[in-house]
Amino acid sequence: MKIRPGVHNRMAILLLAILLLAKGAMAYAEACSTQQHRQFDFWLGDWDVFDASGQQVGRNHIFSVLDGCALSENWTSASGNAGKSYNFYDAAENKWHQTWIDQQGGALYLDGGLQQGKMVLSGTRLGKNGQATLERITWTRLDDGRVKQHWQSSPDKGATWAEVFVGYYQPRKKDNNN
């Protein structure tokens, strides 16, 4: 079989194009696969959420989106209120961000990162009176497979802290009704 000179060149160009596309696809797939991008993966899952007294206060479904570049949170409280957040690692800033919004229009913007094995995110928001309040939420993976969420608030730039919420995320048991 004879290969015409023009065909050989076109085949080489096609092969080179395929290799470059494959390399680009691999780089894209690896864009969010660093160790830092995986730091919050312990929060992934379907969870029943309980307060410190053991009463169920809601359910949360956290899943990976955008090829592992972000976590999507879908919260439903026991009373039916709902909220969502996106959480992602920003390599340029070397920190994690969370953007939260609920069905009443409440918003929260948090930044931070892993500190001694705990994900700690904080941010300032204005209250209805216009006063700035510092919010800090810490997520801790527990040895029994649960995740503890500890939300604190400070009206004085971190000099004192008040507890807003302590919740325990327990892997949700599958049943025929859910």
Side-chain angles (χ1 to χ4, degrees):
M1 176 177 183
K2 285 186 168 183
I3 298 178
R4 292 178 274 146
V7 173
H8 182 15
N9 289 340
R10 284 190 293 243
M11 288 176 64
I13 291 170
L14 180 60
L15 181 58
L16 180 60
I18 290 170
L19 289 173
L20 288 173
L21 285 172
K23 184 176 179 181
M26 287 173 49
Y28 176 76
E30 294 172 359
C32 296
S33 63
T34 68
Q35 184 178 7
Q36 290 86 353
H37 285 93
R38 304 282 66 84
Q39 290 174 332
F40 212 178
D41 282 2
F42 67 86
W43 197 32
L44 292 169
D46 288 311
W47 306 95
D48 288 320
V49 183
F50 299 87
D51 64 15
S53 72
Q55 180 177 344
Q56 186 169 357
V57 293
R59 292 185 170 163
N60 215 342
H61 177 63
I62 294 92
F63 58 98
S64 179
V65 294
L66 303 172
D67 293 328
C69 289
L71 304 181
S72 177
E73 173 189 15
N74 294 277
W75 164 257
T76 305
S77 74
S79 63
N81 293 321
K84 296 185 181 294
S85 76
Y86 283 103
N87 306 266
F88 62 96
Y89 175 72
D90 184 336
E93 294 187 15
N94 191 29
K95 64 175 135 180
W96 276 85
H97 301 282
Q98 181 182 90
T99 300
W100 162 270
I101 185 75
D102 63 33
Q103 70 188 48
Q104 286 88 31
L108 192 57
Y109 307 98
L110 306 172
D111 302 300
L114 206 61
Q115 298 177 14
Q116 300 174 342
K118 301 175 182 183
M119 183 58 71
V120 181
L121 304 178
S122 62
T124 302
R125 74 169 157 177
L126 295 178
K128 292 179 182 176
N129 61 1
Q131 180 180 351
T133 302
L134 183 59
E135 307 288 345
R136 177 174 64 195
I137 304 178
T138 302
W139 291 263
T140 307
R141 179 187 351 209
L142 303 176
D143 291 338
D144 62 5
R146 296 180 304 153
V147 172
K148 178 182 177 183
Q149 179 182 352
H150 188 197
W151 183 354
Q152 298 169 293
S153 181
S154 174
D156 52 16
K157 300 180 182 176
T160 61
W161 291 94
E163 195 167 274
V164 176
F165 175 74
V166 175
Y168 294 90
Y169 286 66
Q170 180 173 312
R172 192 165 173 211
K173 292 184 169 73
K174 304 291 181 196
D175 64 272
N176 293 334
N177 297 324
N178 296 313

